[in-house]
Amino acid sequence: MSFWCERAWLAQPGGPGVVESVRVETAEGRIVGVELGAAASDGDVRLGGIVLPGLANAHSHAFHRALRGRTHAGGGSFWTWRAGMYALAAALTPELYERLARAVYAEMALGGTTAVGEFHYVHHRADGTPHPASEGGPNAMAEALRSAARDAGVHLTLLDTCYLHGGLGTEHPGTAQHEPLAPEQARFGDGTVEAWARRVDALRAAWADDDRVLVGAAAHSVRAVTPDELREVAGWARRAGAPLHVHLSEQPGENEAALAAFGVTPTRLLHDAGALGPGTTAIHAVHLTDDDVALLGASGTGVCLCPTTERDLADGLAPGLRLLRAGSPLSVGTDQHVGADVLAEARGVEEHERLATGRRGSFGPATLVEMATSAGHAALGRPDGGRIAVGAPADLVAVRLDTARTAGTDPAQVALVAGATDVSDVVAGGELVVRDGEHRAGDVARMLSEAIDELWTATTP
Ligand SMILES: [Zn+2]
């Protein structure tokens, strides 16, 4: 297939930027030719506006989408949000999750996402026992997500999450005490790292021949795994050559609990457990000391920022620029999906920096595009993704420059302006998934409202 782009965002000798009249040739899901200054020909699919590489949504919990616009009664604290989240988690079945995730990933695709990192921890039945073969087996939930991503036309990196404890006890300061999983968390846990690894090994084997999906690892947080368990999970990821993701210091409470139990920050705990490094991505990284920033940067650990979630849950402002300068590549994710707009997340990183420092322009348009594209794909174990170049996956996102929002904008600065609703066309793995703002799967709003209603109905006994 060939695509003719009115303008495209390409690597240039002086840095990435806008090039006019570009033909992108694709075959078997990859880009096989990039021709500059090309005239459109009859066989080309025409992409107007400016064509960016496919966007990567590096941090998602798909089922959290059902909470959007439902947790603000009475002010809506982090805790009212979490109570709703647990109610939803308890009601999920593989069938319900597949329908919801299909709609959620389709919404992401409409906004230009071509690869998603699903930080997946709802593994088992509500009572914590594995799904039997009749319900799809121990990886039934992961299979539901794979099927959903395929129908929605997005690449999936399933970050299979090790989640073994309910929290970090602070009753006896100086002694590390991880609490058992609470009943509402039972279905997240595999019991031991060994059991988690056995299940994930089986999943990797089952998905080995599917080039649209990858299996990576996650440790939920230093609250949910002990330092010894963290070391084992990190070892598994290294041996597998798989990405490792971990929630880090989203709320000050996590730092307080780690300091009380271990006398060190969560970042230092990760470092001491051998869990930092270029294959690792820390999610949020909001509440960091100077030492934490130095440890993350010097180890080349990536950081995935989720600004709309960090605003929505009143987490705080992450030190984005300091992390980047220290050596941490930055990616972005929509996390609990208060929005499904990767461009807005990237822009949010710069906006938060402005609020925190009183300065504009810490992250220019090229850096924001990099966060939303190549850095995000790299964090998801797709190091060749997120660029329009020969050999890269054929993922393209056309952003309109003629909407009421984008009209009059300098195309080179579109990352500071455009959002999901300005995306007209999306190509993922060489397939046209979104055309003229319509998803190939149909009416995404309807898919979402039906799946969300169905799930909330299932939460009421
Ligand atoms: Zn998260």
Side-chain angles (χ1 to χ4, degrees), residues 59 61 64 119 247 250 283-284 335:
H59 189 64
H61 308 283
H64 294 188
F119 197 107
H247 288 129
E250 178 178 6
I283 315 299
H284 301 301
D335 190 9

Side-chain angles (χ1 to χ4, degrees), residues 114-164:
T114 61
V116 60
E118 180 66 30
F119 197 107
H120 170 57
Y121 57 82
V122 187
H123 301 305
H124 302 297
R125 298 166 92 191
D127 64 1
T129 58
H131 291 279
S134 61
E135 292 174 11
N139 281 311
M141 288 295 204
E143 290 292 357
L145 294 167
R146 171 163 73 150
S147 171
R150 185 184 55 228
D151 293 349
V154 301
H155 300 280
L156 172 69
T157 296
L158 188 98
L159 300 154
D160 196 300
T161 305
C162 188
Y163 194 140
L164 301 177

Side-chain angles (χ1 to χ4, degrees), residues 203-226:
L203 185 65
R204 277 172 72 82
W207 290 13
D209 294 331
D210 185 344
D211 59 10
R212 297 189 67 95
V213 293
L214 284 169
V215 178
H220 181 272
S221 60
V222 300
R223 290 168 285 134
V225 289
T226 68

Side-chain angles (χ1 to χ4, degrees), residues 84-99:
M85 189 269 278
Y86 281 149
L88 283 181
L92 285 170
T93 63
E95 293 75 22
L96 287 171
Y97 207 1
E98 185 173 332
R99 279 197 285 279

Side-chain angles (χ1 to χ4, degrees), residues 299-348:
S299 59
T301 301
V303 172
C304 177
L305 302 171
C306 308
T308 63
T309 290
E310 289 146 18
R311 286 203 287 275
D312 186 63
L313 296 180
D315 293 333
L317 302 170
L321 183 63
R322 287 165 57 215
L323 284 162
L324 187 68
R325 285 191 173 151
S328 287
L330 301 182
S331 54
V332 292
T334 62
D335 190 9
Q336 45 105 327
H337 310 307
V338 67
D341 189 339
V342 172
L343 288 172
E345 299 293 341
R347 182 161 60 248

